[in-house]
Amino acid sequence: MTYRGVVLDVDGTVVRGDEPIPGAAEGLDRLERAGLRRLFVSNNPTKRPPAYAERLRRAGFDAHPDEIVTAGTITTDYLASNHADDALFVVGEDALVEQLADAGLTVVTDEGRADAAVLSIDRTFDYDRLSAALRVCDDEEVTLVGTDPDMVIPAAEGDLPGSGAIINAIAGVVGRDPDMVLGKPSDPAQRIVRERLGLPPGDCLVVGDRLDTDIALGERAGMTTALVRTGVTDDRDLARSDLSPDYVLDSLADVETIL
């Protein structure tokens, strides 16, 4: 089959931390030679697209910010469309807060003013922040929105807790699940991917290291899926999952076997 577009995960597929994953450069070169329109889609909400492009550059890869979609991008777009007039209490890092504010959304620190709570990875998260989130989210009229479901993220020093860990901690004490969790594989993420690529889903390939985000995104969107073994998924995960990628690759370098 001839593909015209490719959706690429970043962490665990192209880089781990700031280091390139072996085989990633070869795979990206092969995709470029094949003329595929590409889109890097990451569930990391801590960096805006220009910062992500710089991160990829440090790893040896050229990428334009317009080719990059993050969980922060998806969250900002969703909130601007559905909660434009709401006061947002954010459990997250500065880059996410700045992205929301730059989009004209109202971010508040006053717990009593919140109409919605945005929950995300926060590497300074502590008991006091959990207590504040409980006070905000204990009001059932407050909408709970998660940036992405990733429980762990691949880092240079090994897997680390992701947004999902923070979201689950808050949901556990509040006693209710988020009203919406964004990032891959959510419907808003699928919509942005389709809009950015501008191609029929059947002409597109999704490559990533996670079954529940990357592969689920491709499957729900009607795209061909390829799982790489360079991230968080191993053979045991594959065997017990209800999700079955169309291809399983040792690394991105093996994408040539699909093309």
Side-chain angles (χ1 to χ4, degrees):
M1 178 173 175
T2 300
Y3 298 103
R4 299 167 59 197
V6 60
V7 177
L8 292 157
D9 176 51
V10 180
D11 295 282
T13 301
V14 178
V15 297
R16 180 177 281 272
D18 287 333
E19 296 299 318
I21 286 176
E26 294 87 342
L28 290 175
D29 287 345
R30 182 65 183 90
L31 291 166
E32 184 176 1
R33 291 198 303 273
L36 272 68
R37 187 177 304 171
R38 71 183 187 184
L39 190 65
F40 294 96
V41 183
S42 171
N43 267 1
N44 185 340
T46 66
K47 295 183 184 297
R48 303 174 76 167
Y52 233 110
E54 175 60 22
R55 179 185 174 204
L56 288 170
R57 188 198 64 76
R58 291 196 301 270
F61 306 121
D62 288 329
H64 192 277
D66 289 346
E67 295 181 291
I68 299 169
V69 171
T70 71
T73 309
I74 298 163
T75 300
T76 301
D77 182 82
Y78 174 83
L79 292 170
S81 298
N82 296 277
H83 297 275
D85 298 325
D86 284 357
L88 308 174
F89 181 88
V90 180
V91 177
E93 302 202 345
D94 289 345
L96 175 62
V97 173
E98 291 166 4
Q99 192 165 358
L100 297 174
D102 287 351
L105 296 166
T106 302
V107 178
V108 298
T109 56
D110 183 347
E111 299 158 19
R113 290 184 55 200
D115 301 306
V118 182
L119 313 179
S120 185
I121 184 173
D122 181 351
R123 285 168 287 191
T124 64
F125 188 70
D126 58 14
Y127 189 82
D128 289 342
R129 197 63 174 157
L130 178 61
S131 298
L134 172 60
R135 290 191 292 271
V136 170
C137 302
D138 199 40
D139 181 352
E140 294 190 358
E141 296 299 315
V142 171
T143 303
L144 274 60
V145 177
T147 58
D148 65 276
D150 289 11
M151 292 297 296
V152 297
I153 50 177
E157 62 270 37
D159 292 343
L160 297 173
S163 296
I166 304 295
I167 294 167
N168 282 5
I170 295 171
V173 298
V174 172
R176 60 186 174 106
D177 293 330
D179 298 284
M180 171 65 76
V181 178
L182 299 159
K184 297 174 289 186
S186 68
D187 289 343
Q190 294 176 51
R191 179 182 58 77
I192 287 180
V193 165
R194 289 193 300 266
E195 289 176 355
R196 292 285 186 96
L197 284 177
L199 296 168
D203 291 350
C204 298
L205 175 67
V206 178
V207 185
D209 70 309
R210 292 179 184 272
L211 291 163
D212 59 345
T213 58
D214 304 312
I215 302 308
L217 173 78
E219 185 176 280
R220 294 178 189 181
M223 301 176 180
T224 301
T225 58
L227 179 85
V228 290
R229 299 178 183 270
T230 51
V232 300
T233 302
D234 57 23
D235 288 338
R236 183 178 61 177
D237 297 324
L238 273 168
R240 63 189 183 190
S241 175
D242 294 331
L243 293 164
S244 298
D246 296 303
Y247 299 95
V248 178
L249 311 176
D250 286 334
S251 75
L252 188 57
D254 295 330
V255 72
E256 185 169 10
T257 62
I258 301 175
L259 303 178

